[in-house]
Structures are given as structure tokens and as C-alpha cells.
Amino acid sequence: MPRMKILNGAEQMLFDRPPQLSSAERRRVFELPVTIWSAANEIQSVPTKIGFLVSAGYFRSARRFFLTSDFHDRDIAYVAARLGIDASGFDHTAYSARTRQRHRLQILELSGFRPFDSDAARLLETELATMARSHFGPALIFWRAVDWLVTRRIEIPTSFRLTEAVSRAVQQRGRAIAKVIAQAMTSEVRLLLDNMLLRDEDAASQSPFRLTLLKRLSQSTRPTKIRERLSDLGVLKELHANVAPILLLLNLGSEGIRYFAGSVARMRTTDLRRRADDDIHAHLVAFIAHQYYRLHDNLVDVLLTSVQTFENAALREHRDWCFDERKRHEHATESLLDDLDASVFQVLRQIREAVSDDLLSDQEKVARIGLLVRPEQTAETKSRELRASLVNDAADDHYFDILESRSVRLQNQVSGILKAIRFQATPNVADLEAAITRFVASDGILDRTAPAAFLAGEERAAVWKDGKFRISLYKALLFRHVAGAIKSGSLNLEQSHKRRPLESYLIDRNRWLAEREQLLDRAGMTGFKDPAPVLEELDAALQIRFEDTNRAIAEGLNPHFKMLTGKAFRVSTPKQDEEESEPLRHFFPERHYVPLTEILATVNLHTGFATELRHLRQTHVRAVSEKILFAGVIGLGCAIGSAKMAQISTSLSSGELDSAINWRFSLENLWAANDRITSFMAAMELPNIYRRSENEIHTASDGQKFEVRADSLNANHSFKYFGKGQGVSAYTFVDERNLFWHSLVFSSAERESAYVIDGLMRNDVVKSDIHSTDTHGFSEAIFAVTHLLGISFAPRIKNLKKQNLYMFRSRRGGDRAGWAIKPEQYVDPDSIINAWDDVLRLVATIRLKESTASDIFRRLNSYSRQHSLYTALKSFGRIIKSMFILRYIDDVELRMAIENLLNRIELGNRFTRAIAVGNPREFSDGDKEEQEIAEACNRLIKNAIVCWNYLLLEHRLNQASTDELRAEIRAAVANHSVISWGHINLLGEYDFSDEKLRDSVGIPPPKIVLKSQGQMTGRKSA
């Protein structure tokens, strides 16, 4: 028997039994290649011929073989009908095992697959070991192994063999970790770790365990809270220094560290103490590293947020001051002009009159002029004052005075952080590094000898204004330069999840050099290993695309294209009505609203998504009611909150709900639950009505802003979206079948394009062939990476006419006089070729899931144009972008598909807010992981509603009595959106029973009611 239970009984049965095919799927599956039918025609025996074709069809659908006794009668009948023979002639016992084995090898060869033999098992073992080192859950490893086998065109074995292989890999990894712990753990380190499980008698409340104190991670930027975290950092620094050698030997990687640390974070200390010693110590080592890294990231985020807030406030104050000064100058100028008019221009007019007066002699004129030009210095004095004021304002930059006046609060927030964190500096910020070193060495007590080479000229002049060293201004400027260097990637952290040097996120260079061929093979990128043929092929393809697009314009075949003045142009897309679901309401319940609880229960009955909400402990797990799980999903997904959900619900224990959320609602579990629903819908027939092509899946992604009321370092201020508040972006992925297959939450200040690849790589159900975003999700680097990953990137780019098109220099000198669309610049192939190996290493890292694309792009974008890898990606992406734009101009159906899908995701964004009835535009928690858990619950509800809608519509189709009615239903579904929630009760139910109408908190009734009640009592007594 398998060593580990990965699939439950129902899942195992579904895996090992032939797929249940609908009529449309049956036609598609048994539309076998000519080579298969030719081989079948050579078989004389009727049972053998039917068995061969049914096996070939099942293999085409599931990529594995099944027992003949499990063949479905409808499939046998369908194949027999295609052969023109009687299905009753099939007897599975007549289809011998030896013949089945021979046919299996023949079908594999004709399908271009290899058998799952010992060689394939060894390859799989290597891949499973890699997955186990990443510490994915056993179920996730199982299904990723299935995907890996299909990608490598290897037959999928039985669930038993696959479960054994996964179990062996997971348990071998566990034994390897236990062995390292046993051998490397010294008695001193063991004692240090054991002391973390003791109570801290000095703690302020209830003597919590020392481990519990280290789990807390505030999101506040208040100085008192920062000092608490700096104290925790000191404790963790000592612990990390002791466990660092063990951590190096364990080689857990970022995902492994997060996996073990996540268990510790959720587990009560008393539960952790019950585990085996080696297991406890492995978890604690990972927890120390994880918290140490998180705390570094947290404090750096505090530094960046504090500096940004400081700069924004200073700029606001300076802007207001400038406005006041401008008004003062305007008033002074106006007063000066009035004085000039009275004391100068009026005198000149009188002099002119005196000079032209013929009645006056010359002497009288001179005397009159002498009287007129008597000393009057009002205007002259005001003129000198105004000139001096303007000169002084230009010389004295008041902005630096503001920075100095605001510096003390910033010092209270940032000084301790700068002293506690050790940065890795790049050579270009050596002067800044020297200043940081002096600041740390002097404990922040600086004098006029402090290094100032990192300051700009005007900054240096302001710091030493009038020969005086302005220490507060110096520190404010130092903190600003530190923040800028962190953002630009010039200052990095070694102990960090988010801010390590770029190189640390990529596959190790030495490993890449040693295993390049194998890694490219595993990533499915062997076709890109040499840049010369890749660029040559793109050169030819780009030239053809230019010619075809311009030919269509010249011949009038593109009526939606219009040339404007100069090189500008406009491409219109035929207007599509925004998808609404009113026409489908006729087929949804009209006489009552369906409770959300019923939706979840029904969808769970069909999909079993609740089974994915597994307890994070593998043993000694108490069963939980599905009702509790549904309550948790609604509480978090509808933004009600778990505490309020428990209070407003009947037959629900608050303790049970909190325990279920804590132990079962991990991000990975919620993703798996969503995947269970989306994979069920992907296997249905009706959703395929929305597909534009049977051969590719079109997906899209978009973000919407949510305010965050709590302290949150993941949130960012934006007056445009949140007024004076702060918020985040919730980024959702959907496919053309209305499957919400992934979502992320990140700071509203971050570009969405960095997270597009994350969604495309993280999902295990929807395999995108073409992906669309709006302009926020677009960048040239994303074009490059998606192409190398085998995905067509098709964004809707704002101001398309402003995008530069590129062409290879080999096409220089060609006749393009008649072209409406011409290239603006040439491709830089040298930058691509010189960094090609690093480009492949980056994409292989993403493909093999050794780092997330957002982590890599967050660091890569920091380096900007100075980094050769970034330059190469942009240069390569410009080729792909140019090809896409030319196709976009030429292909109206592509434009319509992009518009349609982006409209659909906008409808999905409204759907998100409709479900979040508690707080439609807010996240109540400040922690990034908690925000993503709430978003995953919201997405689970959306998927459940869409799945329920599909189930009901399929039921209506099956019940339809005529072909006309079935056609009407299918037309309504095809032309309108199944993302519909008007028939769902998202607001709960209200109880108007007498018991619920009575006061429950002791508020006395008004006196008039008491008096009338007394009178009624008196009448009854009489």
C-alpha cells in the first residue's frame, strides 16, 4: 500500500477509472488520428479492435490506460457504431492482457509518448525530489507530477504508483532534514531552541511563551512599535547567528523556510512541544530564519514608508509656502505699481505738460520741474525691498528649512532601523555606504566631519549654510538617500525575502553552468538555447508581419484603420455591448433568492472543494463540520469577519470557527479549493461555449483598489483612489470560460505588470495560451518573458500610436515608401546576444518555480536601464511587442476578443464588491498574507456561484423538451455572461419572530409605554 494518503477514496477512484465523457467530449475524444484508425483496421478480432480504439480515446483524454472492465458502455457503443458493428460483440475478457500490453506500446508510439518504465521513473524521481525540496504539499506535488509527465510526453501511471513515488520523495526529504538536525545540532543550540518553548515570566500578560512573543509583527510606523520590533530583531539576530550553519546545511530554500515557519506561526506552543525533537528543532530553525527575514523586510518597509511620508509632508508644506510667497510678491508688486503710477508716471505727465506750456518761460519751466521732482522715495524703497526679497528667496531654498524642521520625527522612526540593519552596497553608492558606516559607528551622534560626498551640490551647501553644520538636515538627507538607494537596488539585504540582490533569486550561476542543458530541458526551453537562430526566425516573422499589415491597409482590407496627421493613426474596434446577464434571468430562480450557504453546499457536493481545506497537521487531527468551513469562507470572503460571523450565526461555535480558520485556511489550501472548482468547471461541456478556439485558452487579468483601514506596510497612500487613506491592489485572473483561476494582493504603488507572470505560473488548472491585460499590466520585459514561456501576450495598450515599432538592421534600406505603418527604430541584437544566457537563466528560474516572477521583477525594475539583463529583456521584448501591435492592427477578431475578455474581468471586479457585503471596498487586516487569504475566500465564493450557475443551466438544458428550447438556452449562455448573482441571497436572512423583536441588552422602554402598560394592568385587575 502507498505510504501516504494523498488522494481520498473518491479522488483515487476518479483517477483510476476512465473519464466520464459528455456526448460532445466523446465525439472530440474519439476523433482519433488517421494512424490510430489505420492500425485499428488491421485488427481482425472485433473485441480487440473495439478495445484498441477505446483505449486510444481514453489515452488521448487522460494520458493513461485503464482496465477493460472499467470501460464505459456508452463509449464502447460509440466506437462500435463508428466501426459499423454491434457493440454486444465486445467482451472485455476476450481482450487479453498480453494484447492490451502490446496495444499500449503501440498507442504510445503513435501518440508520440513514451511508456512509464524504469527510465521514466528515475526522471520522475529526480523531479519529485526537486518538488519535495520546495516543500509543496503532497497533493500539490502529485498533480504537478501529472502535469510534468504530460509535458514530457510520458505515460501517466496508476494513482498507486504515483502516490508511492510522491510519498517516497516527501519522506526521503523528511529523513534528510532529520539527519541534518541530528548531526549538526549542538547541545548549546538545542538548549537555545528549547528555551523558546518556555514561558516568559517577565512578560506583561498571562506569561506567554517566548516563541509566541516572536510571532507578533506589527505593521505600525509609530516609534514605540518600531522600538519593540528592533528589540525583537536583536533577539532573532542572536538566534539566527546560532542556527545559520544548520540552516545552510538544511538547504530549505525560501519556499521551504516559509512552509515550516507557517506551521509554527499557526501552531500553539503546547502542540509544537508534542512533536519529535528533531521535527521541533527543524521547524524552529526555519521559523527563526523566516521571522528574521520578515522583520528585516518589515523594518525596511517602515523606513521607506516613513521617508515617503516625510517627503510628501515636506513637499506639501513647501508648496503651501510657495503659494503664500507668490501671493505676497503679487501684493508687493501691485503696491509698487500703484506707487510708481503716483510718484513717477504722474510726475512725468506733469513735466511733459510743463515743458509743452508755451505760456511759461524757460526759467519758470525749470522751476516747475524742480518742484515736481522733489525727493519722494516710497516707490524706490519698495522696489529695493521687493528685489531683495526675490534675491533672498532664490538664494535660500526654503525647502531645506522645512526638511530640517521635520527631521526629528523622522529620526525617531528611522535612526534605530539604520543602526540595526546591515546593507550590502553596490560600488556606485560607496560614498553613501561610508556615511551609513559612520552613522552606525557613532550611534547616530554626528559632527561636521560626517561624510558628505553622497550629497548633491545644493544639498551640501544647505547642510553647511553660513559655515554652520545643520545636523538635523544632514540626517534627513541621509535617510532620503538611503531610501532611494534601497529602491534602486544599490542597497540590498542578505537576510530578506524581498530585498536580496537580484542574483540570489536566480538559479545559482555555478549550478546553471554545470546543469544548463538539463535545466533547459526541464523548463521546456531547449529551442531557445542558441540566440542566433531564434533572432533569425523572429527577423523573418517580423518582416512578414510588417508586409502583411501594410498590404491589408493599402488594399483597403482593414476598414477599421485610419491614418491621421503625420505618423499617427487610429484603429477602431467594433463596439461590443457590455456583457450583462438579464437575458439569463429567465433560466435562474425567479420566485426566491438562493442562499449563499446552499450555493456552497451544492457546489461542494459536486466538486468536494471543502476536502482541500486540510488541517496543516498530518496526524491527530479532529474532524470539522463542513458548515464550519462554509462559515469561515463566508466570514472572510464577504468581509464580515470571523468574530462577527460567529455572533450573527446560529449553531456555530466561535472557538471551532477560529480554529478552522487558523489551521485550515492557509493560502495554499484556499488556492487548492479554488482549483478544485475551476478544474470541475473546465471539465464541463457548457463553459466551452465561450471559447474562441478549441486549441487555445484566452485569459486576462486586472486589478482593483481596496482601502486598508488598519496599519499596513503592504498598503500605500493615493489621494486619487483613497483620499487621505491608503490601500492595496487586488489582482484577479479570469479565463474566457469565466473561471476565476488566480488572485494576488499587493501595494497599490507597485506596477501590475510585475505580477502578471506570477498568475500565469502559479495556477495548476488553467494553462493560458494567450493572455490580456490593460496598459497597467504591460511592459516590454513582460512581452519577452511570456514569449519564452510559450504564452502570447496580448494587452490593450493605451495610446497605441505612441508605441515605437522596431525592425532588424538586416532589413535596412528596403523600400517602405508605400507603408502606412513603419518601424521607428532598429532592434539592438548585441545587447540580447551578450546577455542571452542570463535571460534564459531568469526565465528557467520562473518556469521551474524556483523564485516568483514578482520577486525577480521587483529587483530587476530597481536596477533600471543600467543592468544588462534588463536591457536585453527590453530589447527582446520590443521585437515581440512590434509583432503583436502589427497583428493587433490587422486582426479585428483579436481586438474584439481582448475587449470582450477585459470587459468580462471588469464585470468580475463588480462581482467581487457585490460579494464583499461587509466592506465592499476595504480590507480589514493589514497583513499581506491575511489580505490574500480574504481575497482567496472571495474568489472561492465567486467560483462557487459561477459553478452553480453552470450546473443549473446544464440541468435546464437536460430538461429541455425541444431542440428549439435547448438552442434558446445555449444562445442565451453564449451571448451573455454567466457571471450573474442577482438571484443569490448574499445578505443573509432576517428573523422577525417575537423573540428577536424583544430588547436583549436592557434598554428601558419610554415612560409613556410604561404608563400605558400600568393602565392596562389596572383595568385587568378591576
Side-chain angles (χ1 to χ4, degrees), residues 752-867:
E752 294 177 357
S753 60
Y755 292 87
V756 170
I757 308 295
D758 273 5
L760 296 173
M761 289 293 99
R762 290 300 293 265
N763 193 266
D764 295 291
V765 175
V766 176
K767 309 296 182 185
S768 178
D769 297 295
I770 178 172
H771 186 76
S772 296
T773 68
D774 60 11
T775 302
H776 297 294
F778 145 74
S779 75
E780 290 169 336
I782 298 299
F783 266 111
V785 174
T786 50
H787 179 79
L788 294 171
L789 291 171
I791 300 168
S792 296
F793 188 43
R796 181 180 61 193
I797 303 174
K798 188 177 181 180
N799 291 324
L800 187 69
K801 59 181 177 291
K802 294 183 178 181
Q803 291 292 324
N804 286 333
L805 296 179
Y806 293 79
M807 177 175 278
F808 283 82
R809 291 185 185 276
S810 61
R811 307 293 174 174
R812 185 169 44 190
D815 182 14
R816 296 191 285 271
W819 285 12
I821 304 296
K822 299 177 182 179
E824 299 286 338
Q825 297 181 33
Y826 289 111
V827 175
D828 180 10
D830 291 339
S831 67
I832 299 172
I833 293 170
N834 292 337
W836 187 249
D837 210 46
D838 281 338
V839 169
L840 293 182
R841 185 160 65 104
L842 180 149
V843 178
T845 300
I846 295 172
R847 168 69 82 182
L848 298 175
K849 299 182 173 67
E850 301 208 4
S851 288
T852 64
S854 57
D855 282 341
I856 294 173
F857 274 100
R858 188 187 300 114
R859 302 311 292 151
L860 192 59
N861 290 337
S862 300
Y863 294 105
S864 193
R865 299 179 183 180
Q866 63 187 352
H867 200 284

Side-chain angles (χ1 to χ4, degrees), residues 864-1001:
S864 193
R865 299 179 183 180
Q866 63 187 352
H867 200 284
S868 60
L869 176 55
Y870 191 78
T871 303
L873 277 173
K874 290 192 70 173
S875 297
F876 187 74
R878 286 166 179 163
I879 305 171
I880 313 304
K881 180 193 77 172
S882 299
M883 294 178 66
F884 163 72
I885 290 176
L886 292 167
R887 181 188 172 196
Y888 184 87
I889 292 171
D890 201 35
D891 190 344
V892 65
E893 290 189 3
L894 173 65
R895 297 200 302 274
M896 292 178 67
I898 293 171
E899 289 289 333
N900 180 41
L901 206 51
L902 290 177
N903 288 342
R904 192 170 304 175
I905 202 166
E906 286 293 339
L907 179 60
N909 287 341
R910 297 207 301 272
F911 194 12
T912 297
R913 295 192 294 271
I915 288 171
V917 292
N919 275 307
R921 295 183 180 273
E922 290 182 15
F923 280 116
S924 59
D925 205 295
D927 183 71
K928 175 180 171 66
E929 184 175 357
E930 296 301 325
Q931 291 166 0
E932 291 198 322
I933 286 173
E935 169 60 26
C937 287
N938 183 284
R939 181 162 62 93
L940 185 63
I941 294 172
K942 288 191 294 188
N943 277 321
I945 291 174
V946 171
C947 183
W948 190 91
N949 289 345
Y950 275 132
L951 287 169
L952 180 65
L953 291 169
E954 280 206 344
H955 177 63
R956 298 280 194 240
L957 275 171
N958 294 333
Q959 280 189 324
S961 56
T962 64
D963 291 339
E964 290 77 9
L965 181 55
R966 280 190 287 273
E968 179 186 349
I969 296 173
R970 294 185 69 85
V973 174
N975 293 317
H976 303 283
S977 177
V978 77
I979 301 176
S980 174
W981 60 93
H983 53 290
I984 310 295
N985 179 8
L986 297 169
L987 299 175
E989 298 179 356
Y990 292 89
D991 186 351
F992 291 97
S993 64
D994 291 340
E995 180 184 354
K996 293 299 180 181
L997 294 178
R998 286 197 294 268
D999 170 62
S1000 63
V1001 295

Side-chain angles (χ1 to χ4, degrees), residues 173 176-178 180-181 245-253 281-282 285-286:
R173 180 58 177 161
I177 290 173
V180 170
I181 291 292
I246 302 171
L247 194 65
L248 188 63
L249 292 172
L250 286 174
N251 190 26
L252 294 175
H281 295 147
V285 167

Side-chain angles (χ1 to χ4, degrees), residues 75 113 196 349 371 439 588 669 729 736 809 819 903:
D75 300 329
F113 272 68
M196 293 177 66
R349 285 193 297 271
L371 292 174
F439 184 87
F588 291 136
N669 281 357
S729 294
E736 56 193 335
R809 291 185 185 276
W819 285 12
N903 288 342

Side-chain angles (χ1 to χ4, degrees), residues 184-211:
M185 187 75 66
T186 64
S187 57
E188 292 81 5
V189 174
R190 199 179 298 271
L191 180 62
L192 199 64
L193 296 178
D194 290 340
N195 285 339
M196 293 177 66
L197 305 180
L198 301 178
R199 291 185 181 274
D200 188 346
E201 301 301 336
D202 297 329
S205 61
Q206 299 180 355
S207 297
F209 293 98
R210 294 171 183 172
L211 175 63

Side-chain angles (χ1 to χ4, degrees), residues 314-365:
L315 284 171
R316 261 194 317 272
E317 183 178 345
H318 182 60
R319 189 166 53 246
D320 293 342
W321 180 86
C322 289
F323 180 74
D324 292 340
E325 284 297 290
R326 186 166 62 251
K327 288 176 63 177
R328 186 173 66 82
H329 290 158
E330 289 173 354
H331 178 73
T333 303
E334 184 178 351
S335 177
L336 174 62
L337 291 174
D338 290 341
D339 287 340
L340 285 172
D341 185 62
S343 60
V344 177
F345 300 125
Q346 184 177 351
V347 170
L348 289 174
R349 285 193 297 271
Q350 291 175 340
I351 290 173
R352 191 179 299 112
E353 290 174 359
V355 169
S356 61
D357 190 348
D358 296 333
L359 299 176
L360 297 176
S361 65
D362 291 344
Q363 290 181 340
E364 289 174 329
K365 289 180 181 181

Side-chain angles (χ1 to χ4, degrees), residues 8 124 180 196 474 504 589 594 696 735 805-806 816:
N8 60 37
L124 178 62
V180 170
M196 293 177 66
Y474 176 89
S504 69
V594 184
E696 64 179 19
D735 81 350
L805 296 179
Y806 293 79
R816 296 191 285 271

